Amino acid sequence: MRVIVADHPLIAHKLTYLRHKGTDSPTFRRLADELVTLLAYEATREVRTEPFDIETPVGPTTGMRLSTPKPLVVPILRAGLGMLEGMVRLLPTAEVGFLGMLRNEETLEAVTYANRLPDDLSGRQCYVIDPMLATGGTLAMSIRYLVERGADDITAVTLLAAPEGIEALERELADLHVPITLVTAAVDERLDEQGYIVPGLGDAGDRLYGVV
């Protein structure tokens, strides 16, 4: 698995205010949206394209367009929804599927409760978006699920990652023979005993949408 920590002053700036406990939900949503667009630029560096002949006002030329089948963006509900707009802003022709997953707070294992994905993902590049890579259970299960349906290239985009989560992904997905990439804004220090990233930014879902 390839891990890319995006290194840019604007990413560091926006992430700092996302972390700040005084940042309210509307501001948090806006910053997350802006940060995801910056991360998406890095994440789509190897998106598949094909030549495309066009006519400019001056003459013919050959450009590039996204290949078919189009990429699939998969937000992990609910917090991943806060990253969707920033991702599709850069990939407006991509299709969108949804996975609903919950983390059991006692076992820290992920459980699927909703699925809105095409049955056949053969030959598809998939971009899985979830704000936090903490224990790694949710992302590992999501990636394995997509590969089982035929996806042959997976990029996960997160705002933050913990070393334990990266290690868990590498361990849990070692038997998958497809390219897997993680793009994140930062790798933090560790997980605490509740499975939260330290220093982190708290519960991303609650900070995006409020406590429900």
Side-chain angles (χ1 to χ4, degrees):
M1 183 179 76
R2 183 174 56 156
V3 178
I4 298 173
V5 180
D7 182 17
H8 192 284
L10 287 179
I11 290 176
H13 168 79
K14 294 179 188 301
L15 182 58
T16 297
Y17 283 92
L18 276 175
R19 292 184 187 275
H20 197 303
K21 67 179 183 180
T23 299
D24 59 23
S25 286
T27 305
F28 191 94
R29 285 195 294 270
R30 176 178 57 79
L31 288 170
D33 177 76
E34 294 170 356
L35 179 53
V36 171
T37 299
L38 295 173
L39 293 174
Y41 183 81
E42 186 64 50
T44 56
R45 193 174 290 275
E46 295 181 6
V47 67
R48 293 169 184 162
T49 59
E50 60 189 13
F52 182 47
D53 294 330
I54 62 169
E55 291 280 344
T56 78
V58 180
T61 190
T62 300
M64 304 296 289
R65 65 180 176 187
L66 294 183
S67 299
T68 302
K70 294 292 194 299
L72 181 69
V73 178
V74 184
I76 305 301
L77 303 177
R78 69 179 163 138
L81 288 176
M83 301 172 66
L84 179 58
E85 188 63 31
M87 193 74 190
V88 298
R89 182 178 295 115
L90 209 63
L91 284 173
T93 61
E95 296 180 0
V96 179
F98 299 91
L99 273 177
M101 309 194 85
L102 287 173
R103 186 175 69 165
N104 184 308
E105 296 301 331
E106 294 181 359
T107 66
L108 302 183
E109 294 180 351
V111 178
T112 302
Y113 68 87
N115 164 24
R116 296 290 293 175
L117 293 170
D119 290 332
D120 185 6
L121 296 177
S122 296
R124 299 291 289 268
Q125 277 185 304
C126 294
Y127 294 88
V128 184
I129 52 177
D130 198 16
M132 316 291 280
L133 171 55
T135 63
T138 300
L139 268 182
M141 182 182 290
S142 302
I143 291 170
R144 183 171 293 278
Y145 190 77
L146 294 171
V147 171
E148 288 173 351
R149 290 195 169 204
D152 65 357
D153 190 296
I154 308 286
T155 298
V157 182
T158 69
L159 304 180
L160 288 179
E164 295 93 332
I166 293 174
E167 292 171 5
L169 276 188
E170 292 175 334
R171 182 176 62 253
E172 296 296 326
L173 304 177
D175 62 320
L176 298 184
H177 302 293
V178 301
I180 297 172
T181 303
L182 170 68
V183 177
T184 188
V187 177
D188 274 8
E189 296 173 11
R190 59 182 174 86
L191 295 180
D192 66 13
E193 54 276 7
Q194 281 79 45
Y196 283 97
I197 298 176
V198 179
L201 49 75
D203 187 302
D206 287 351
R207 297 197 67 187
L208 281 164
Y209 303 117
V211 179
V212 295

